[in-house]
């Protein structure tokens, strides 16, 4: 399964970054292409959520099961949608200065190999834009990181 990974060191705590990522209901406020979200079930350790993403006239719905291990990790498992598979994981590791390293990985498989080759070349760009949106959201919620954030990749 093709995958993309990004590591970032941010000046925010693991708890803060966990809360930001776990707040699926607010994704449409800051993530590009997210049109709507619906959290169907939510507990301290697990969530079931739906997301509608779109670009121009194209719209697709995804359902996922989210496993939460506060404040260390979030694992998202694809349940239903237009792909064959889509999983992602977030690992939050504290740094010595009170911030955290965020390790984000996405793995995906399209139902069509032809579409996978075509879309795969754009997926990397979309993934980087999504990572930047989470970082900008953290800055907006918790204070600007300015030059304190850097890629650990």
């Amino acid at each position: 399964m093709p995958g993309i990974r990004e590591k970032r060191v941010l000046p925010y705590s693991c708890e803060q970054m966990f809360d930001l990522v776990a707040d699926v209901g607010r994704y449409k406020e800051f993530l590009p292409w997210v049109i709507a979200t619906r959290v169907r079930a939510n507990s301290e350790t697990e969530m079931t959520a739906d997301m509608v993403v779109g670009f121009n006239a194209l719209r697709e719905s995804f359902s996922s099961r989210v496993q939460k291990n506060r404040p260390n990790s979030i694992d998202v498992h694809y349940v239903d949608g237009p792909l064959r598979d889509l999983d992602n994981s977030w690992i939050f590791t504290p740094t010595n200065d009170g911030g955290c390293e965020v390790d984000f990985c996405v793995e995906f498989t399209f139902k069509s190999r032809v579409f996978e080759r075509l879309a795969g070349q754009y997926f990397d760009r979309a993934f980087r834009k999504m990572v930047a949106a989470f970082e900008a959201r953290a800055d907006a919620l918790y204070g600007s990181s300015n030059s304190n954030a850097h890629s650990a990749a």
Side-chain angles (χ1 to χ4, degrees), residues 3-4 10 12-13 55 63-64 67 69 73 83 99 111 136 140 150:
I4 301 172
L10 299 173
Y12 312 115
S13 71
F55 183 74
S63 295
S64 299
Q67 293 178 293
N69 179 21
S73 64
L83 302 173
K111 289 180 180 173
H150 62 276

Side-chain angles (χ1 to χ4, degrees), residues 110-129:
F110 290 91
K111 289 180 180 173
S112 159
R113 292 216 185 264
V114 172
F115 187 68
E116 185 169 313
R117 273 187 246 120
L118 289 172
Q121 57 189 308
Y122 299 103
F123 200 82
D124 183 66
R125 204 171 344 156
F127 175 79
R128 306 279 177 229
K129 190 169 185 171

